[in-house]
């Protein structure tokens, strides 16, 4: 039913997204979403359906992938558990809301929103590329956790990503976290917040999605193949994150995010 190159593409997505997830604490959604989207369109899936399947399936994959990376990070940093869980609980609420809103928007609108947000993240990283740790501009407490968690969770559900690319920028720029602390905290956060978005896509696509072997907007085939490779690679990526200088992590992070921003905005083919 599906061409062989489709299955090969899913495996490659799992390998790349899994390693990036563990290395950069981003869940891998910024790779899983656009690459799945392009792959689905390649086999003839209508764009509006392809983007929703990409979002919903991405969130399902992010849960076990980020959990694998988070476990590895907590072995080296036990101080990231409390902030990660606190932010993640509020992130679940935002993820549910974002997922339901996304089902009512066109693929074109979502692509533009996604691309613009990625450009913003890239610019922020370039501006602060030489700073290992910035002074905290706001205190980390229950109120700031609620606001940040819900907003990042909403973007997670809306765009089918774990929210790590946004959370890391906030933690390093506003809350005074070092890059490696932000990556570890983000890994825990996205384990939780992806659950909310995943559930909303499963419910909103129930009886509507016509793609074979799916539950709502979550493709079982895509989930199994990508997760089979992304989960073990996330653990490996997290291991390497603690060996790479923080400046290099920022450079790698910025290049990947900038590339995917241009792809989503249609600047690159």
């Amino acid at each position: 039913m599906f061409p062989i190159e489709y299955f090969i593409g899913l495996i490659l997505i799992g390998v790349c997204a899994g390693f990036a997830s563990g290395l950069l604490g981003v869940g891998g959604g910024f790779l899983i979403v656009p690459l799945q989207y392009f792959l689905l369109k390649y086999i003839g899936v209508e764009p509006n359906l392809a983007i929703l399947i990409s979002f919903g399936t991405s969130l399902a994959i992010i849960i076990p992938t980020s959990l694998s990376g988070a476990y590895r990070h907590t072995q080296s940093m036990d101080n990231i558990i409390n902030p990660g869980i606190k932010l993640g609980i509020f992130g679940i609420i935002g993820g549910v809301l974002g997922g339901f809103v996304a089902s009512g928007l066109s693929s074109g609108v979502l692509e533009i929103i996604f691309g613009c947000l990625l450009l913003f993240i890239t610019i922020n990283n370039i501006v602060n590329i030489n700073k290992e740790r910035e002074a905290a501009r706001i205190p980390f407490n229950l109120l700031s956790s609620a606001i940040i968690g819900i907003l990042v969770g909403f973007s997670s559900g809306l765009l089918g990503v774990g929210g790590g690319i946004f959370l890391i920028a906030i933690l390093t720029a506003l809350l005074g976290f070092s890059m490696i602390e932000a990556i570890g905290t983000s890994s825990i956060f996205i384990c939780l917040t992806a659950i909310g978005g995943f559930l909303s896509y499963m419910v909103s696509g129930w009886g509507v999605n016509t793609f074979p072997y799916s539950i709502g907007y979550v493709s079982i085939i895509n989930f199994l193949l990508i997760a089979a490779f992304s989960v073990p690679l996330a653990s490996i990526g997290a291991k390497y994150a603690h060996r790479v200088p923080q400046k290099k992590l920022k450079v790698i992070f910025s290049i990947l995010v900038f590339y995917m921003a241009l792809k989503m905005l249609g600047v690159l083919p």
Side-chain angles (χ1 to χ4, degrees):
M1 186 174 187
F2 299 111
I4 187 65
E5 54 265 35
Y6 181 71
F7 296 107
I8 295 173
L10 292 175
I11 292 171
L12 291 176
I13 291 172
V15 171
C16 296
F19 187 77
S21 172
L23 183 69
L24 302 173
V26 293
F30 76 106
L31 287 172
I32 298 173
V33 169
L35 293 177
Q36 260 193 121
Y37 177 59
F38 301 139
L39 197 57
L40 287 166
K41 286 204 301 180
Y42 171 76
I43 63 171
V45 179
E46 189 269 326
N48 283 327
L49 178 57
I51 197 75
L52 290 173
I53 294 172
S54 299
F55 287 160
T57 308
S58 170
L59 288 166
I61 295 164
I62 283 169
I63 297 169
T65 302
S66 57
L67 184 62
S68 173
Y71 175 77
R72 174 71 71 168
H73 282 298
T74 56
Q75 301 305 295
S76 303
M77 301 179 293
D78 57 4
N79 62 318
I80 64 174
I81 298 175
N82 182 58
I85 292 176
K86 190 179 292 184
L87 287 162
I89 290 172
F90 290 107
I92 292 175
I93 299 171
V96 171
L97 296 174
F100 280 112
V101 170
S103 62
L105 297 176
S106 71
S107 62
V109 171
L110 292 171
E111 286 179 55
I112 292 172
I113 293 173
F114 197 15
C116 288
L117 285 171
L118 291 179
L119 277 179
F120 170 76
I121 298 300
T122 304
I123 293 169
N124 178 78
N125 275 321
I126 291 172
V127 169
N128 299 298
I129 200 75
N130 290 314
K131 295 182 180 179
E132 294 227 350
R133 184 191 291 267
E134 297 185 58
R137 292 182 171 87
I138 59 174
F140 184 78
N141 52 34
L142 188 61
L143 178 60
S144 61
S145 296
I147 294 172
I148 293 169
I150 290 174
L151 288 177
V152 176
F154 182 82
S155 72
S156 169
L158 182 69
L159 302 171
V161 296
I165 52 175
F166 311 126
L167 183 64
I168 290 172
I170 292 170
L171 293 179
T172 54
L174 298 180
L175 294 170
F177 282 55
S178 69
M179 188 65 178
I180 192 63
E181 287 172 345
I183 287 173
T185 303
S186 173
S187 294
I188 297 172
F189 169 83
I190 56 185
C191 292
L192 297 171
T193 195
I195 295 172
F198 156 68
L199 292 174
S200 64
Y201 278 98
M202 195 168 64
V203 172
S204 62
W206 197 273
V208 179
N209 181 12
T210 56
F211 193 71
Y213 311 109
S214 298
I215 301 175
Y217 287 121
V218 178
S219 166
I220 302 301
I221 291 176
N222 291 21
F223 170 77
L224 291 176
L225 260 183
I226 295 175
F229 290 86
S230 65
V231 171
L233 264 295
S235 181
I236 295 172
K239 180 180 178 181
Y240 277 95
H242 292 270
R243 300 179 180 178
V244 179
Q246 293 195 45
K247 184 176 179 179
K248 287 187 178 180
L249 284 175
K250 281 192 174 184
V251 171
I252 296 169
F253 181 74
S254 299
I255 292 172
L256 285 173
V257 173
F258 182 62
Y259 174 75
M260 296 317 302
L262 295 182
K263 290 282 284 185
M264 294 304 289
L265 290 171
V267 177
L268 295 176

